[in-house]
Every structure is written in structure tokens, then in C-alpha cells.
Amino acid sequence: MSIERRRGAILISGRGSNMVALLQAAQAEDFPVDFTLVISDKIEAAGLGVATGAGVKTYALKTCRQGQAAWEAELSEALVEAEVEIICLAGFMRLLSAKFVEDWADKILNIHPSLLPDF
């Protein structure tokens, strides 16, 4: 039995070890997400090369001189263009604004481990 998969993006900041786990999980026929895009806030993130090697489109956003709102607008544009329905924050180290989170409400999962509720 085949399920309808949702288009997903993975946001990373470094090596992408959690991204690799997600991409491997997505190989299963019954996994609900097809990851079609990996975005990093760091151009030099090693995970971008790993994603490219796995055949996943990548996009790197560098710091925007116009501020966080402009940076997040570019991020949203990339997500919309890729028709993303689910965003997985997998070791993504940038803080996202309340507006961005509200705009993508019910579509963001943060899988980065941390010492909650401290961080």
C-alpha cells in the first residue's frame, strides 16, 4: 500500500548528521515525507555536499545585510518555490522569528536535540 507523501525541506547549519538520518528514513515506502530540498544558513556547511551527493537539491542562505526579516523572506521564497509542505529543523542553529514560525504554523518540526526547557 502506497501513501501520498508530502514534500519536505530539511534546514541545517553543519554536518547534517540528523539530515542523513531523515534522508535514510525517507527511503522507506511508508515514510510520509519526500525530502526534496536541503537549506543551510551557512554556505560552508558540510551537510550541503552530503545532500547533493544523495541527489537532493540544496540552497544556502548567507547572512542578509538587510536584516532577519529579509533573510526569512528569502528562506520562505525558496520553500514556496519548492512547494514545501513540511520543514524539519535538523541541527539548524539560527533562531527563527515568531512571524516566520506563525507563517509556517503546523508545518515545522524541530528535531535538534537540546536540554529543554533550558535551551
Side-chain angles (χ1 to χ4, degrees), residues 6-111:
R6 298 176 81 185
R7 294 175 61 87
I10 303 171
L11 276 57
I12 64 169
S13 291
R15 298 177 297 154
S17 56
N18 286 323
M19 172 201 69
V20 169
L22 286 169
L23 293 176
Q24 288 173 342
Q27 304 262 330
E29 191 176 304
D30 62 344
F31 196 79
V33 181
D34 180 25
F35 294 107
T36 58
L37 180 64
V38 170
I39 297 177
S40 176
D41 63 330
K42 299 185 185 300
I43 295 172
E44 70 281 0
L48 292 172
V50 175
T52 298
V56 179
K57 181 180 174 185
T58 61
Y59 191 83
L61 287 163
K62 51 186 165 179
T63 304
C64 183
R65 293 177 192 249
Q66 286 76 35
Q68 183 165 348
W71 187 91
E72 288 179 350
E74 184 179 347
L75 173 58
S76 282
E77 184 178 317
L79 294 167
V80 169
E81 183 177 305
E83 299 177 355
V84 167
E85 300 171 273
I86 299 284
I87 303 167
C88 289
L89 307 178
F92 187 67
M93 302 304 289
R94 179 182 285 266
L95 292 175
L96 297 168
S97 71
K99 180 183 179 339
F100 182 89
V101 173
E102 182 180 303
D103 289 347
W104 290 91
D106 300 324
K107 296 178 181 172
I108 301 176
L109 295 168
N110 185 6
I111 65 162

